[in-house]
Amino acid sequence: MIKHNPFTSNTFVKKWCLHFIKDQASYSFNFIKEVGFYKPTFMPLFINVGKNLTKGMSYVLNSSIISHDFKNKVLLIYDVPEYFNIKTETLPKKIKAIKIKQYPGFLTNLETYIDFNNYFSSTFSKKSRYKFKSYQRVLESSFDINYKHFYGNISKESYDDIFEYFNALLKKRFDDKLETNNNLNPKEWDFYYDSSFELILEKKASLFVIYDDKKPIAISLNYFSDNILFFAITVFDMDYFKYNIGKVHLMELYKWSFENNIKIFDLSKGYYDYKERWANVNYNFEHHIYYDSYSISAISIAHFLKLFFKLKQFLRGLKLNVLLHKVTYLFKFKKSTSINITN
């Protein structure tokens, strides 16, 4: 169990509920600690607060409690990292658990290394290290580059300015890729904007920014437990692509992590080449399902969910999710073009 999970913190939970379930009731169950649930349909299915917008749910099972509040019910918990190692074997017979692998995850165990230089030399070849440092030298000699990590302190003015650039750079990046991006969904983006300011002040989140003079050109939103950094959303200005600013951004963030006693740099879910290069541990994100094994309806719902998520994972393995993002982008582009013409 990780300590002080940012995705079960009061601020994250309160803001998520405000943006996604509003006045709906939230629920808790006495055999499972740290997680709140909501009920999206008439069915006896309860989904974790935060749903798929967390970067790693954790919780504690209290197996000694007889769960009278769980009759006929099913619980679904999204995105539990495999390395959190949640044991379900000691649950009472009435409660059964299913773990379903979903997205791949990547992390760097920083405890394996003495410092950043040790990590850098152990992970990348001499030729690659020279290139990375060369990219940074050229970038810094060509522009007025400075690095800022907003963690525990940020003015509202700076925060608003960064988030405005953050949104614009993400739109620019995914327009270039001709893909939609879930983070840019207005409802999601409003949640990130509304929640991150307080989380930064509470040291449960941060914004790491590379500036060219006063203009943000690379930004990442990160979340924190006591000693885990969750690398959540990142983007850089495509005008600086030839300077490999993405690599420079990661180098500086890894340096900061070593200097600030971060033990795990979690690169989060989803496969990208850079994650495989920077990570030293591969793991899986899982969805966890708990159900009343004495209830026919609960058994049916739980096994339907199992089949549904296995199918999603199979289709994801065929990269149909990438095709879907491109198709939805094309549809969105045609729709917006049509609206502009009629106006």
Side-chain angles (χ1 to χ4, degrees), residues 214-235:
K214 296 180 181 180
K215 180 178 73 171
I217 58 174
I219 305 168
S220 64
L221 171 64
N222 313 289
Y223 293 100
F224 296 87
S225 75
D226 285 353
N227 52 27
I228 302 175
L229 181 151
F230 300 92
F231 189 59
I233 307 174
T234 186
V235 70

mmCIF file of all heavy atoms in Angstrom, residues 214-235:
data_model
loop_
_atom_site.group_PDB
_atom_site.id
_atom_site.type_symbol
_atom_site.label_atom_id
_atom_site.label_comp_id
_atom_site.label_asym_id
_atom_site.label_seq_id
_atom_site.Cartn_x
_atom_site.Cartn_y
_atom_site.Cartn_z
ATOM 1 N N LYS A 214 9.930 33.981 -21.149
ATOM 2 C CA LYS A 214 8.737 33.847 -20.305
ATOM 3 C C LYS A 214 7.696 32.934 -20.924
ATOM 4 O O LYS A 214 6.597 32.798 -20.369
ATOM 5 C CB LYS A 214 8.139 35.228 -20.047
ATOM 6 C CG LYS A 214 9.058 36.153 -19.255
ATOM 7 C CD LYS A 214 8.398 37.511 -19.025
ATOM 8 C CE LYS A 214 9.356 38.424 -18.241
ATOM 9 N NZ LYS A 214 8.737 39.763 -18.011
ATOM 10 N N LYS A 215 8.039 32.296 -22.028
ATOM 11 C CA LYS A 215 7.077 31.461 -22.749
ATOM 12 C C LYS A 215 7.293 29.980 -22.428
ATOM 13 O O LYS A 215 8.381 29.438 -22.667
ATOM 14 C CB LYS A 215 7.220 31.682 -24.263
ATOM 15 C CG LYS A 215 6.256 30.855 -25.087
ATOM 16 C CD LYS A 215 6.401 31.142 -26.580
ATOM 17 C CE LYS A 215 7.666 30.535 -27.134
ATOM 18 N NZ LYS A 215 7.731 30.612 -28.616
ATOM 19 N N PRO A 216 6.279 29.286 -21.882
ATOM 20 C CA PRO A 216 6.425 27.835 -21.653
ATOM 21 C C PRO A 216 6.539 27.091 -22.987
ATOM 22 O O PRO A 216 5.718 27.285 -23.886
ATOM 23 C CB PRO A 216 5.118 27.468 -20.940
ATOM 24 C CG PRO A 216 4.610 28.741 -20.360
ATOM 25 C CD PRO A 216 5.006 29.801 -21.348
ATOM 26 N N ILE A 217 7.555 26.243 -23.088
ATOM 27 C CA ILE A 217 7.737 25.471 -24.331
ATOM 28 C C ILE A 217 7.713 23.961 -24.068
ATOM 29 O O ILE A 217 7.696 23.167 -25.005
ATOM 30 C CB ILE A 217 9.039 25.862 -25.061
ATOM 31 C CG1 ILE A 217 10.264 25.652 -24.164
ATOM 32 C CG2 ILE A 217 8.961 27.305 -25.543
ATOM 33 C CD1 ILE A 217 11.597 25.874 -24.867
ATOM 34 N N ALA A 218 7.711 23.557 -22.809
ATOM 35 C CA ALA A 218 7.522 22.152 -22.435
ATOM 36 C C ALA A 218 6.914 22.130 -21.040
ATOM 37 O O ALA A 218 7.364 22.858 -20.153
ATOM 38 C CB ALA A 218 8.835 21.378 -22.461
ATOM 39 N N ILE A 219 5.872 21.316 -20.878
ATOM 40 C CA ILE A 219 5.132 21.292 -19.616
ATOM 41 C C ILE A 219 4.768 19.857 -19.279
ATOM 42 O O ILE A 219 4.371 19.085 -20.161
ATOM 43 C CB ILE A 219 3.818 22.112 -19.717
ATOM 44 C CG1 ILE A 219 4.093 23.547 -20.175
ATOM 45 C CG2 ILE A 219 3.068 22.120 -18.385
ATOM 46 C CD1 ILE A 219 2.839 24.313 -20.580
ATOM 47 N N SER A 220 4.889 19.495 -18.016
ATOM 48 C CA SER A 220 4.330 18.218 -17.560
ATOM 49 C C SER A 220 3.572 18.431 -16.258
ATOM 50 O O SER A 220 3.982 19.223 -15.402
ATOM 51 C CB SER A 220 5.411 17.146 -17.375
ATOM 52 O OG SER A 220 6.313 17.495 -16.352
ATOM 53 N N LEU A 221 2.440 17.732 -16.152
ATOM 54 C CA LEU A 221 1.682 17.660 -14.908
ATOM 55 C C LEU A 221 2.022 16.335 -14.255
ATOM 56 O O LEU A 221 1.915 15.272 -14.888
ATOM 57 C CB LEU A 221 0.181 17.736 -15.187
ATOM 58 C CG LEU A 221 -0.759 17.472 -14.001
ATOM 59 C CD1 LEU A 221 -0.593 18.539 -12.925
ATOM 60 C CD2 LEU A 221 -2.211 17.392 -14.467
ATOM 61 N N ASN A 222 2.457 16.399 -13.003
ATOM 62 C CA ASN A 222 2.885 15.206 -12.276
ATOM 63 C C ASN A 222 2.132 15.123 -10.956
ATOM 64 O O ASN A 222 1.753 16.134 -10.373
ATOM 65 C CB ASN A 222 4.386 15.277 -11.987
ATOM 66 C CG ASN A 222 5.176 15.678 -13.217
ATOM 67 O OD1 ASN A 222 5.308 14.910 -14.150
ATOM 68 N ND2 ASN A 222 5.680 16.909 -13.234
ATOM 69 N N TYR A 223 1.916 13.892 -10.484
ATOM 70 C CA TYR A 223 1.286 13.668 -9.180
ATOM 71 C C TYR A 223 2.284 12.961 -8.272
ATOM 72 O O TYR A 223 3.238 12.316 -8.738
ATOM 73 C CB TYR A 223 0.036 12.810 -9.329
ATOM 74 C CG TYR A 223 -1.107 13.465 -10.072
ATOM 75 C CD1 TYR A 223 -1.345 13.183 -11.419
ATOM 76 C CD2 TYR A 223 -1.957 14.363 -9.435
ATOM 77 C CE1 TYR A 223 -2.399 13.785 -12.101
ATOM 78 C CE2 TYR A 223 -3.011 14.962 -10.100
ATOM 79 C CZ TYR A 223 -3.222 14.664 -11.441
ATOM 80 O OH TYR A 223 -4.264 15.270 -12.103
ATOM 81 N N PHE A 224 2.050 13.060 -6.948
ATOM 82 C CA PHE A 224 3.000 12.505 -5.981
ATOM 83 C C PHE A 224 2.308 11.766 -4.850
ATOM 84 O O PHE A 224 1.318 12.242 -4.290
ATOM 85 C CB PHE A 224 3.830 13.633 -5.345
ATOM 86 C CG PHE A 224 4.697 14.368 -6.312
ATOM 87 C CD1 PHE A 224 4.194 15.444 -7.021
ATOM 88 C CD2 PHE A 224 6.007 13.978 -6.532
ATOM 89 C CE1 PHE A 224 4.983 16.128 -7.931
ATOM 90 C CE2 PHE A 224 6.808 14.650 -7.440
ATOM 91 C CZ PHE A 224 6.295 15.729 -8.145
ATOM 92 N N SER A 225 2.847 10.595 -4.516
ATOM 93 C CA SER A 225 2.663 10.032 -3.187
ATOM 94 C C SER A 225 3.904 10.471 -2.414
ATOM 95 O O SER A 225 4.642 11.350 -2.867
ATOM 96 C CB SER A 225 2.554 8.508 -3.233
ATOM 97 O OG SER A 225 3.821 7.938 -3.448
ATOM 98 N N ASP A 226 4.191 9.855 -1.281
ATOM 99 C CA ASP A 226 5.374 10.274 -0.513
ATOM 100 C C ASP A 226 6.660 10.171 -1.316
ATOM 101 O O ASP A 226 7.500 11.050 -1.273
ATOM 102 C CB ASP A 226 5.504 9.429 0.762
ATOM 103 C CG ASP A 226 4.487 9.844 1.810
ATOM 104 O OD1 ASP A 226 3.796 10.849 1.592
ATOM 105 O OD2 ASP A 226 4.380 9.153 2.830
ATOM 106 N N ASN A 227 6.830 9.069 -2.051
ATOM 107 C CA ASN A 227 8.107 8.882 -2.761
ATOM 108 C C ASN A 227 7.928 8.359 -4.191
ATOM 109 O O ASN A 227 8.858 7.797 -4.762
ATOM 110 C CB ASN A 227 9.039 7.951 -1.975
ATOM 111 C CG ASN A 227 8.357 6.645 -1.609
ATOM 112 O OD1 ASN A 227 7.437 6.196 -2.287
ATOM 113 N ND2 ASN A 227 8.817 6.025 -0.525
ATOM 114 N N ILE A 228 6.739 8.536 -4.748
ATOM 115 C CA ILE A 228 6.484 8.150 -6.134
ATOM 116 C C ILE A 228 6.065 9.382 -6.917
ATOM 117 O O ILE A 228 5.207 10.149 -6.476
ATOM 118 C CB ILE A 228 5.370 7.089 -6.246
ATOM 119 C CG1 ILE A 228 5.718 5.835 -5.457
ATOM 120 C CG2 ILE A 228 5.117 6.722 -7.711
ATOM 121 C CD1 ILE A 228 4.592 4.797 -5.424
ATOM 122 N N LEU A 229 6.704 9.587 -8.063
ATOM 123 C CA LEU A 229 6.268 10.612 -8.999
ATOM 124 C C LEU A 229 5.489 9.924 -10.117
ATOM 125 O O LEU A 229 5.995 8.999 -10.752
ATOM 126 C CB LEU A 229 7.464 11.372 -9.575
ATOM 127 C CG LEU A 229 7.179 12.504 -10.566
ATOM 128 C CD1 LEU A 229 8.271 13.578 -10.490
ATOM 129 C CD2 LEU A 229 7.079 12.008 -12.014
ATOM 130 N N PHE A 230 4.256 10.358 -10.343
ATOM 131 C CA PHE A 230 3.432 9.845 -11.437
ATOM 132 C C PHE A 230 3.469 10.872 -12.568
ATOM 133 O O PHE A 230 2.927 11.974 -12.443
ATOM 134 C CB PHE A 230 1.983 9.637 -10.991
ATOM 135 C CG PHE A 230 1.807 8.660 -9.860
ATOM 136 C CD1 PHE A 230 1.799 9.101 -8.538
ATOM 137 C CD2 PHE A 230 1.650 7.308 -10.107
ATOM 138 C CE1 PHE A 230 1.624 8.213 -7.491
ATOM 139 C CE2 PHE A 230 1.472 6.404 -9.063
ATOM 140 C CZ PHE A 230 1.464 6.864 -7.754
ATOM 141 N N PHE A 231 4.110 10.508 -13.657
ATOM 142 C CA PHE A 231 4.274 11.381 -14.828
ATOM 143 C C PHE A 231 2.975 11.312 -15.624
ATOM 144 O O PHE A 231 2.737 10.363 -16.366
ATOM 145 C CB PHE A 231 5.459 10.859 -15.639
ATOM 146 C CG PHE A 231 5.931 11.728 -16.765
ATOM 147 C CD1 PHE A 231 6.355 13.024 -16.539
ATOM 148 C CD2 PHE A 231 5.997 11.222 -18.057
ATOM 149 C CE1 PHE A 231 6.834 13.806 -17.580
ATOM 150 C CE2 PHE A 231 6.475 11.986 -19.100
ATOM 151 C CZ PHE A 231 6.892 13.284 -18.865
ATOM 152 N N ALA A 232 2.111 12.323 -15.485
ATOM 153 C CA ALA A 232 0.723 12.195 -15.925
ATOM 154 C C ALA A 232 0.460 12.704 -17.340
ATOM 155 O O ALA A 232 0.050 11.945 -18.217
ATOM 156 C CB ALA A 232 -0.188 12.913 -14.937
ATOM 157 N N ILE A 233 0.653 13.995 -17.577
ATOM 158 C CA ILE A 233 0.389 14.601 -18.892
ATOM 159 C C ILE A 233 1.599 15.441 -19.260
ATOM 160 O O ILE A 233 2.088 16.229 -18.440
ATOM 161 C CB ILE A 233 -0.861 15.496 -18.872
ATOM 162 C CG1 ILE A 233 -2.075 14.739 -18.327
ATOM 163 C CG2 ILE A 233 -1.172 16.017 -20.273
ATOM 164 C CD1 ILE A 233 -3.304 15.624 -18.141
ATOM 165 N N THR A 234 2.073 15.288 -20.488
ATOM 166 C CA THR A 234 3.247 16.057 -20.900
ATOM 167 C C THR A 234 3.113 16.500 -22.346
ATOM 168 O O THR A 234 2.469 15.818 -23.160
ATOM 169 C CB THR A 234 4.543 15.230 -20.707
ATOM 170 O OG1 THR A 234 5.683 16.044 -20.978
ATOM 171 C CG2 THR A 234 4.571 14.027 -21.646
ATOM 172 N N VAL A 235 3.713 17.632 -22.661
ATOM 173 C CA VAL A 235 3.683 18.146 -24.027
ATOM 174 C C VAL A 235 4.848 19.113 -24.205
ATOM 175 O O VAL A 235 5.337 19.692 -23.228
ATOM 176 C CB VAL A 235 2.343 18.863 -24.329
ATOM 177 C CG1 VAL A 235 2.220 20.187 -23.576
ATOM 178 C CG2 VAL A 235 2.136 19.071 -25.830
#
